Amino acid sequence: MADESLQSFALELLLIHQFLPSPAEIAGWLACDRQELQMLGAIAQKIANPDANPAWPQPLEPGPAKILTRVVTYGDTPHLKPLIAEVLLSQTSPEVICAGLEALLTLTQRGDETAAGIAQGQLSHRDPLVRMVAFDLLRVARCPEQLAAIGSG
């Protein structure tokens, strides 16, 4: 297990630093039964070809979700930012949704209406932690149009 975790961590760091594996390596990761490697393969596919539509692991577990948040947050790949909403916030797991919202916290600037809209959409989530992180994201975005959402929470 330690070797598998170390392998995933090393591959994650390589992706953060824009190392592009070969298509054969990516295919091997995507075919693996470990969600961590499937996630890394899908991210690598997206880095290599921004128009690609990789198959994301479903349902997504928290560990692979956090891999995606770290690559998006620490890598210099702005075209990956929408994956937070597309891949993580579409999940049912509150832990995965929180990981996505927390990643958006670090990527959001004042006036980011897209992030504010995403946050507002999570204010009615059944899980109180998701709602709390959504309020924090609204605080960071500071969009005047969203003040009513903050006040009604």
Side-chain angles (χ1 to χ4, degrees), residues 84-115:
I84 298 294
E86 294 168 17
V87 177
L88 300 185
L89 301 182
S90 64
Q91 299 293 312
T92 57
S93 163
E95 189 174 355
V96 170
I97 293 170
C98 280
L101 292 172
E102 288 167 349
L104 286 177
L105 278 170
T106 63
L107 300 168
T108 297
Q109 305 219 349
R110 184 180 192 141
D112 186 336
E113 293 180 18
T114 301

Side-chain angles (χ1 to χ4, degrees), residues 4-149:
E4 291 177 351
S5 295
L6 184 59
Q7 177 191 27
S8 295
F9 179 70
L11 295 173
E12 180 181 331
L13 286 176
L14 290 171
L15 290 178
I16 287 171
H17 293 286
Q18 310 271 328
F19 168 79
L20 288 177
S22 71
E25 289 172 312
I26 294 172
W29 299 348
L30 290 170
C32 185
D33 60 349
R34 290 181 40 226
Q35 266 203 5
E36 292 84 359
L37 288 179
Q38 293 171 6
M39 176 60 76
L40 290 162
I43 294 168
Q45 231 181 11
K46 203 67 174 160
I47 290 172
N49 178 7
D51 295 326
N53 289 316
W56 301 96
Q58 296 291 334
L60 195 55
E61 297 169 3
K66 290 178 182 175
I67 289 172
L68 177 59
T69 64
R70 288 188 297 265
V71 172
V72 171
T73 302
Y74 300 120
D76 187 25
T77 48
H79 70 276
L80 295 182
K81 183 180 176 184
L83 295 178
I84 298 294
E86 294 168 17
V87 177
L88 300 185
L89 301 182
S90 64
Q91 299 293 312
T92 57
S93 163
E95 189 174 355
V96 170
I97 293 170
C98 280
L101 292 172
E102 288 167 349
L104 286 177
L105 278 170
T106 63
L107 300 168
T108 297
Q109 305 219 349
R110 184 180 192 141
D112 186 336
E113 293 180 18
T114 301
I118 289 169
Q120 186 173 6
Q122 296 295 333
L123 293 178
S124 59
H125 196 278
R126 62 179 162 58
D127 189 274
L129 187 56
V130 170
R131 292 193 306 269
M132 184 180 77
V133 179
F135 275 115
D136 202 23
L137 183 55
L138 278 175
R139 177 192 59 80
V140 171
R142 294 185 184 163
C143 289
E145 302 80 26
Q146 303 296 336
L147 289 177

